[in-house]
Amino acid sequence: MANSPSGESMTERIVRVLDTFSADRTMQTTSEIAQRAGLAPSTAHRIVGDLIRSGLLERDEDRRVRLGMRLWELALRGSSALRLRQAALPHMEQVQTRIRQHTQLAVLDQGEALFLERLSHPDAGANITRVAGRLPLHASSSGLVLLAFADPEVRDRVLDGPLPAVAPETITAPIALRAALAGIRRQGFVIAPGSVDAVSTGVAVPVRDRGVVVAALSAVLPREMLTVPAVHALRKASTAIENALLQH
């Protein structure tokens, strides 16, 4: 790919354009994309035009731009996330039958917890997590499980900080976080009240693929709800997912 005058490759500029989209920002004008991507308007217009012609972006009748279906299609082809989600979904549904709140599946990606799936009961309590959304590893039950079983270099990088507070009870002290991670590895689950939202408790367990932790399966419960049934349901589902992964 040809480089820009700044030395940035075309691939890097395309990624910057795609990164301007988020769960809260699904539609944008090309000018907004240029501003958020830090690109010259002419460069952004050229890249957006190329991506629209390839189907990776789409433009509506008001000339606003959104991510294209072809991008979604390509992302799913042969994706390890798709394999994991397919193995997990039937067992996540069984957890939902038991807890009737929120059940989630997350993986470690680029130093964050990336959520691949979420099932929610219509009457479930508060939950800020979204599919394809991210949370800091230290600030959710899923992230804590992923961090506890991550490579030591990943843990050290997170422990070096900063550890911003997402909610009043988010663990922000490195010593406390290190102790919490050791406890998760010892007991095989985490209960994290108020780490993301003061009115909710996150419960999470690891999911392994041939012995290696590849995901976290979690439930988000109202703060006053008992956590023991959720821990039992998640552990049972995690074992079933691991067995399903062996068949894929």
Side-chain angles (χ1 to χ4, degrees):
M1 293 290 184
N3 287 351
S4 67
S6 66
E8 188 178 45
S9 71
M10 177 59 75
T11 299
E12 289 170 323
R13 284 176 281 171
I14 290 172
V15 170
R16 283 169 62 185
V17 166
L18 297 177
D19 273 346
T20 64
F21 293 90
S22 70
D24 297 314
R25 190 190 303 126
T26 59
M27 303 287 293
Q28 304 180 84
T29 66
T30 305
S31 296
E32 290 169 339
I33 292 172
Q35 182 178 14
R36 289 171 178 137
L39 296 171
S42 59
T43 300
H45 277 269
R46 184 171 65 253
I47 293 174
V48 168
D50 288 344
L51 294 176
I52 288 172
R53 283 187 288 276
S54 70
L56 300 181
L57 293 178
E58 297 173 350
R59 180 175 278 142
D60 68 8
E61 61 275 8
D62 296 322
R63 300 192 62 76
R64 294 176 302 171
V65 180
R66 64 184 169 222
L67 297 177
M69 289 296 292
R70 191 177 180 208
L71 185 63
W72 172 82
E73 176 190 1
L74 292 172
L76 288 182
R77 290 182 185 173
S79 168
S80 59
L82 176 62
R83 170 177 170 267
L84 179 58
R85 181 183 175 276
Q86 288 176 331
L89 196 52
H91 308 291
M92 294 176 65
E93 290 170 348
Q94 292 178 6
V95 174
Q96 271 298 93
T97 300
R98 178 75 183 274
I99 67 170
R100 299 172 67 85
Q101 290 294 324
H102 305 281
T103 305
Q104 307 173 150
L105 184 71
V107 295
L108 174 61
D109 183 72
Q110 298 182 10
E112 296 177 299
L114 171 63
F115 290 85
L116 303 183
E117 186 57 89
R118 169 181 146 179
L119 304 179
S120 298
H121 190 272
D123 299 325
N127 184 7
I128 68 170
T129 305
R130 298 181 180 184
V131 174
R134 294 172 179 266
L135 283 173
L137 291 174
H138 71 286
S140 71
S141 59
S142 294
L144 288 168
V145 162
L146 294 169
L147 185 57
F149 293 97
D151 290 338
E153 311 89 77
V154 175
R155 289 202 301 273
D156 290 342
R157 189 159 55 245
V158 172
L159 286 162
D160 284 343
L163 299 171
V166 175
E169 292 172 82
T170 303
I171 301 174
T172 57
I175 293 176
L177 180 56
R178 190 178 295 277
L181 298 177
I184 294 167
R185 288 191 295 273
R186 185 170 57 251
Q187 64 189 12
F189 67 91
V190 65
I191 298 172
S195 63
V196 175
D197 192 310
V199 300
S200 301
T201 296
V203 182
V205 301
V207 176
R208 292 175 171 84
D209 187 2
R210 293 164 176 82
V212 177
V213 173
V214 294
L217 183 66
S218 65
V220 178
L221 315 172
R223 189 69 175 258
E224 67 277 7
M225 188 171 177
L226 292 175
T227 58
V228 171
V231 171
H232 289 165
L234 291 170
R235 282 182 144 174
K236 181 178 179 180
S238 175
T239 299
I241 295 168
E242 291 169 1
N243 290 333
L245 287 171
L246 291 173
Q247 308 306 315
H248 284 67

